[in-house]
Amino acid sequence: MHRISRDAAGKPSLIAWEGDGNPSPIGLDQLSEEVQALRVRRPSFRESWLREGAGARRERRGSDRFVEVPWDEAFELVAGELNRVITTHGNNSIFGGSYGWGSAGRFHHAQSQIHRFLNAIGGYVKGRDSYSFGAGSVIMPHIAAPMEELLDQHTDWNTLAAHNELFVAFGGIPLRNTQMTAGGPSRHRVREALDQMRARGVRFVNISPLKQDIDGAAEWLPIRPGSDVALILALLHVLISENLDDRKFLSRYCVGGEQVKRYVLGEKDGQSKTPEWASAITGVPAHRIIELARDMGRSLTMINASWSLQRQSHGEQAYWAIVTLASHIGQIGQPGGGFGIGYGTLNSVGSSELRLSGPRLSQGSNPVEQFIPVARIADALLEPGARFDYDGGTYEYPDIRLVYWAGGNPYHHHQDLNRFISAWRKPETIIVHEQFWTSSAKAADIVLPASTTLERNDIGFASREGQMVAMRKLQEPLADAKSDFDIFGGITRCMGKEGEFTEGRTAEEWLENIYEDFRQRNTTLVALPGFCEFWEAGRLEIQTPNKPTIMFERFRADPERHPLKTPSGRIELYSERIASFGYDDCPGQATWLEPLEWLGSQKTARFPLHLLSQEPSRRLHSQLDHSPHSRSGKVMGREPILLNPKDAIARGIADGDVVRVFNDRGACLASAQLSGDLLDGVAIIATGAWFDPTDWALTNSLEKHGNPNVVTIDAPASKLSQATVAQSCLVDVELFVGELPAVTAFDLPKFAAEDTARSKSPRV
């Protein structure tokens, strides 16, 4: 959370809130010249689209000139295009894309705004699940509970400090991820929580290729990426064969324990999942697997999996295996024990603050039933009419003619970006709302300038963060920028749908409306003042409950009165429902399935390094990559790639060298950083560098800035979830030789003179 400070001349700046003992520096430079220079200032239309019509010269997306037009004309053009597409092809030809960056406020939440708008004009094809934990979203309701419920119910840090003895972290607990919470964090608590746990004698084990994935003292077990399931099965083998498993817990609270036992002991497939078997796959010594299993069975143990663990080939199996392991230890529902699937991913996970359903803008009703799993957007654009499996059903990709995107950057979060360029050329029209000239904005047909958080009033709130903030406008919108609400209001006015969208309320009236609705919904949980009193105060502290949060505590106390939402009402270690789907890539229990790409693959003969694309520490995803804070972390203007010195020396690479990272899907440039705290054979690049191809007209040109999604694979985790597998990626790295191309990610697009373009436009 940020606070406004002004100098003697009244010039504003952002500083960290004094109530936060470990504030994040991300976003403090939002008012800098570097950030403001990249603003989208006026409605901008791709020249070929404006001059020749929808669908014209789509290969020029990303490199075409733009024409700035006034808002009244922009509203008419956008409304006309939406009416054309709806009349000709129907609302199921419109894809409403949004990742909705939650820190923007609860009213000016782009995802809520765009979905409400599209529903007001007849509906749209939606994206389902998320890139963050798409596989988890689909698998967890089958075996334990919906992902969103689990994230809100994690045992709180204070309880862990008081009771936990052993914290085993698959994928670590990286503090870089805990700088944020959807809706906005208040006090950053995770570093202090880990320190408190260590002070009380908790032992941490970091199972990750990178030692720094846990901040502070921890035992490091380096593991080959993508092999966690094999390690977990071997831990189960030790527990079962040495009678350390809790069979009473398995009998009362779980179904499928016998199927797990038969598989682990090799009775189902002839392969016993011994520590020696797992060691050959994971690289973890067999004796350490045995020691760890015994420690886990005899300690009060919390087992945590990062979200990265399920962003891989067969990612569902990792979460299923984690729950299976915790069930065999038998401490689920007890203070200090059990499992987690989110510690170290968000600041709010593990919070002891009150869980409340926050203020929200109703999105209305969507009459269009078709959807796309979000990570399959390229498949949908490239293969309209093709059929796909998803969570037990079979569906058909719609024929998308228009993409409308507000809140998000698909050229950041999607995989195999060269393939995505081809897919992005398929729609006739692409409309985006943007604050800055990102790669997605440059590759759009229509770019409508959105105001920033500092240029509008809103309400800041996140469940389990302990406060609500009046986000008062600091300054007027830059140039012709407008809020998403005002943009959609202008378009619906031209379409005769303004009443359906605004309901006759201004933005300020909506703020009061959603606040009062929030207050009434939560009146039995917390006493809140009226809106005017809240707005005057500026910030509300929400009283922390005295009762600790313990995941599945009520289920443990009485599984008959408090069953889970699974088909059996219990934890499903074997799922009859999933088994009935007949998926070869997602069987009915946690299973070791070889990833598409990993260090045990024959593909390592050509691409011997496993590339991981982790969350960045200097920005939120790709947001504010152009800020001084983010750019100061680059080397020679490019995103760093972390390499083990052995791998670097073998390739003649020194620290700071610019290198080419490549596979059959593409190549990008990055700057080498060497560390012995990274498992050899593994490389890491943070995500979020704005996509910067050498030539947008090509679909396989060199990317100059260090965006790892140029080389990641665009394939589904399984037929069950269709989620991303970004962490299953093999590459090679070589020293870049030749003239170093300039980074142009932060250059503005070219603009055509308005009168020149419009004089030849069929739309004027």
Side-chain angles (χ1 to χ4, degrees):
M1 187 165 66
H2 301 151
R3 188 168 64 82
I4 306 300
S5 177
R6 297 183 183 273
D7 61 18
K11 183 179 180 180
S13 61
L14 298 177
I15 60 175
W17 175 51
E18 62 274 12
D20 189 354
N22 185 34
S24 170
I26 295 175
L28 293 178
D29 49 9
Q30 291 181 67
L31 295 172
S32 67
E33 293 181 3
E34 293 90 338
V35 169
Q36 295 304 309
L38 267 287
R39 289 289 298 275
V40 180
R41 294 170 180 266
R42 295 172 185 84
S44 300
F45 288 69
R46 189 169 65 84
E47 184 179 18
S48 298
W49 189 97
L50 188 65
R51 178 183 295 173
E52 302 175 39
R57 303 182 187 274
R58 284 171 272 186
E59 76 280 359
R60 291 187 180 179
R61 285 177 179 150
S63 58
D64 210 350
R65 298 189 299 180
F66 282 89
V67 181
E68 295 180 331
V69 305
W71 270 116
D72 56 351
E73 183 177 341
F75 287 146
E76 291 286 353
L77 286 170
V78 172
E81 177 62 3
L82 286 166
N83 280 327
R84 179 192 73 84
V85 171
I86 292 170
T87 300
T88 307
H89 305 290
N91 282 79
N92 61 351
S93 67
I94 298 173
F95 178 71
S98 178
Y99 231 54
W101 312 132
S103 57
R106 303 322 304 149
F107 175 69
H108 293 291
H109 177 228
Q111 189 176 82
S112 299
Q113 291 284 342
I114 186 175
H115 292 171
R116 180 181 176 85
F117 162 72
L118 292 173
N119 286 336
I121 63 171
Y124 66 102
V125 174
K126 58 183 174 294
R128 185 172 291 183
D129 304 321
S130 71
Y131 285 85
S132 296
F133 47 81
S137 290
V138 181
I139 190 67
M140 292 309 293
H142 287 286
I143 62 177
M147 188 79 171
E148 290 75 11
E149 289 185 15
L150 292 172
L151 291 174
D152 258 353
Q153 294 173 11
H154 274 56
T155 301
D156 67 83
W157 292 112
N158 293 332
T159 299
L160 288 175
H163 298 278
N164 180 238
E165 296 172 339
L166 176 62
F167 195 111
V168 180
F170 286 84
I173 313 173
L175 290 181
R176 61 181 179 272
N177 297 346
T178 65
Q179 296 181 87
M180 65 84 62
T181 288
S186 53
R187 299 171 179 86
H188 290 83
R189 61 178 62 85
V190 180
R191 184 191 299 275
E192 180 181 344
L194 297 180
D195 290 343
Q196 183 182 15
M197 290 173 68
R198 287 193 183 92
R200 296 189 178 182
V202 176
R203 174 187 165 204
F204 287 88
V205 178
N206 174 28
I207 302 175
S208 169
L210 181 64
K211 186 176 183 179
Q212 283 81 20
D213 270 343
I214 284 187
D215 180 73
E219 180 182 349
W220 181 36
L221 281 186
I223 186 172
R224 291 176 187 145
S227 67
D228 304 85
V229 172
L231 174 60
I232 294 169
L233 292 172
L235 293 169
L236 282 166
H237 188 281
V238 176
L239 293 174
I240 293 170
S241 60
E242 296 188 3
N243 296 318
L244 294 172
D245 53 332
D246 190 332
R247 294 172 189 175
K248 290 183 179 180
F249 183 90
L250 293 171
S251 175
R252 185 174 187 196
Y253 299 99
C254 306
V255 296
E258 284 304 311
Q259 287 96 326
V260 171
K261 182 177 180 179
R262 289 181 56 228
Y263 175 65
V264 168
L265 296 183
E267 296 172 10
K268 291 185 70 172
D269 60 358
Q271 174 61 66
S272 184
K273 312 306 180 292
T274 64
E276 291 75 20
W277 167 82
S279 181
I281 295 171
T282 65
V284 179
H287 72 90
R288 285 297 300 115
I289 298 174
I290 295 170
E291 292 169 359
L292 180 59
R294 290 170 178 170
D295 289 346
M296 294 172 76
R298 295 165 180 165
S299 305
L300 195 50
T301 303
M302 174 60 71
I303 310 165
N304 184 63
S306 68
W307 290 352
S308 63
L309 222 65
Q310 51 84 64
R311 286 199 293 265
Q312 59 181 308
S313 186
H314 314 299
E316 302 90 351
Q317 305 306 310
Y319 274 16
W320 208 343
I322 288 287
V323 175
T324 302
L325 178 59
S327 297
H328 278 71
I329 294 173
Q331 298 168 0
I332 295 172
Q334 292 183 343
F339 71 91
I341 50 173
Y343 292 112
T345 59
L346 297 171
N347 185 61
S348 58
V349 175
S351 169
S352 57
E353 302 288 353
L354 189 65
R355 180 159 59 100
L356 295 172
S357 175
R360 55 178 179 255
L361 175 67
S362 171
Q363 298 178 17
S365 176
N366 185 1
V368 175
E369 295 182 354
Q370 283 185 284
F371 69 93
I372 301 169
V374 292
R376 303 272 56 80
I377 177 64
D379 289 356
L381 295 177
L382 290 168
E383 304 172 38
R387 300 185 71 77
F388 67 95
D389 294 303
Y390 174 82
D391 199 15
T394 302
Y395 305 89
E396 185 176 291
Y397 287 128
D399 186 4
I400 298 299
R401 302 302 182 100
L402 184 148
V403 171
Y404 205 130
W405 211 289
N409 181 1
Y411 276 96
H412 152 66
H413 58 238
H414 200 65
Q415 282 63 63
D416 194 352
L417 290 178
N418 286 314
R419 180 174 185 258
F420 189 65
I421 289 177
S422 297
W424 201 243
R425 291 175 180 171
K426 293 295 183 178
E428 297 165 5
T429 298
I430 296 174
I431 306 171
V432 304
H433 293 192
E434 249 302 346
Q435 300 163 338
F436 306 104
W437 281 107
T438 66
S439 46
S440 295
K442 293 175 183 176
D445 298 310
I446 301 170
V447 185
L448 303 179
S451 57
T452 70
T453 302
L454 303 176
E455 297 168 347
R456 58 204 184 202
N457 291 322
D458 213 326
I459 297 171
F461 177 84
S463 182
R464 314 219 72 162
E465 286 291 351
Q467 58 183 287
M468 178 176 285
V469 179
M471 301 169 66
R472 300 193 187 102
K473 180 168 69 174
L474 173 65
Q475 58 191 20
E476 292 301 316
L478 181 69
D480 289 346
K482 292 181 179 290
S483 70
D484 295 311
F485 177 76
D486 287 339
I487 295 172
F488 289 135
I491 298 169
T492 52
R493 187 162 53 252
C494 293
M495 299 179 75
K497 299 286 187 178
E498 185 179 16
E500 289 90 330
F501 177 70
T502 68
E503 296 184 18
R505 295 189 182 97
T506 66
E508 276 59 41
E509 289 169 338
W510 268 112
L511 288 182
E512 183 170 359
N513 177 274
I514 66 172
Y515 175 87
E516 292 297 342
D517 172 71
F518 162 78
R519 186 162 75 110
Q520 292 179 22
R521 283 188 285 110
N522 293 284
T523 186
T524 60
L525 297 174
V526 61
L528 296 169
F531 177 77
C532 292
E533 184 179 346
F534 153 67
W535 196 257
E536 179 66 25
R539 184 171 61 85
L540 294 179
E541 290 278 353
I542 297 172
Q543 185 176 0
T544 302
N546 294 323
K547 189 177 185 299
T549 301
I550 301 169
M551 186 189 288
F552 289 165
E553 181 181 29
R554 293 201 305 166
F555 170 68
R556 172 117 194 180
D558 193 334
E560 286 73 35
R561 288 187 61 194
H562 304 290
L564 303 180
K565 295 179 180 179
T566 60
S568 65
R570 294 192 278 178
I571 298 170
E572 301 218 353
L573 308 184
Y574 181 91
S575 169
E576 294 283 356
R577 180 176 292 175
I578 292 179
S580 73
F581 298 160
Y583 296 153
D584 57 355
D585 53 7
C586 189
Q589 67 186 78
T591 305
W592 162 248
L593 300 170
E594 187 172 335
L596 290 173
E597 295 186 10
W598 70 299
L599 291 176
S601 168
Q602 293 182 356
K603 296 178 182 179
T604 55
R606 295 182 60 213
F607 304 112
L609 297 177
H610 193 127
L611 178 69
L612 298 176
S613 43
Q614 68 181 20
E615 292 301 315
S617 61
R618 290 179 171 268
R619 55 187 173 265
L620 174 54
H621 304 302
S622 67
Q623 291 180 83
L624 296 176
D625 184 41
H626 60 309
S627 71
H629 180 63
S630 178
R631 294 172 76 167
S632 66
K634 301 178 189 289
V635 179
M636 298 186 68
R638 294 160 223 277
E639 200 64 28
I641 179 170
L642 199 64
L643 297 169
N644 183 284
K646 294 179 183 178
D647 297 319
I649 292 170
R651 293 163 173 77
I653 295 169
D655 198 83
D657 284 344
V658 174
V659 299
R660 178 174 172 263
V661 185
F662 65 97
N663 58 22
D664 288 335
R665 292 180 288 273
C668 68
L669 299 183
S671 297
Q673 287 188 345
L674 311 187
S675 173
D677 289 339
L678 176 67
L679 180 67
D680 59 288
V682 180
I684 296 177
I685 303 179
T687 60
W690 286 5
F691 179 59
D692 192 22
T694 303
D695 188 347
W696 276 94
L698 303 176
T699 57
N700 197 16
S701 70
L702 179 68
E703 200 278 336
K704 303 172 291 182
H705 193 203
N707 187 315
N709 279 328
V710 172
V711 294
T712 53
I713 187 171
D714 186 9
S718 77
K719 297 181 184 71
L720 183 80
S721 72
Q722 297 287 344
T724 179
V725 298
Q727 304 292 24
S728 297
C729 176
L730 292 177
V731 300
D732 203 355
V733 177
E734 64 184 9
L735 186 68
F736 181 78
V737 178
E739 184 177 353
L740 197 60
V743 174
T744 55
F746 306 133
D747 290 356
L748 292 172
K750 295 178 181 178
F751 292 89
E754 181 180 352
D755 55 350
T756 301
R758 292 170 64 196
S759 65
K760 300 179 181 180
S761 171
R763 300 176 179 277
V764 177

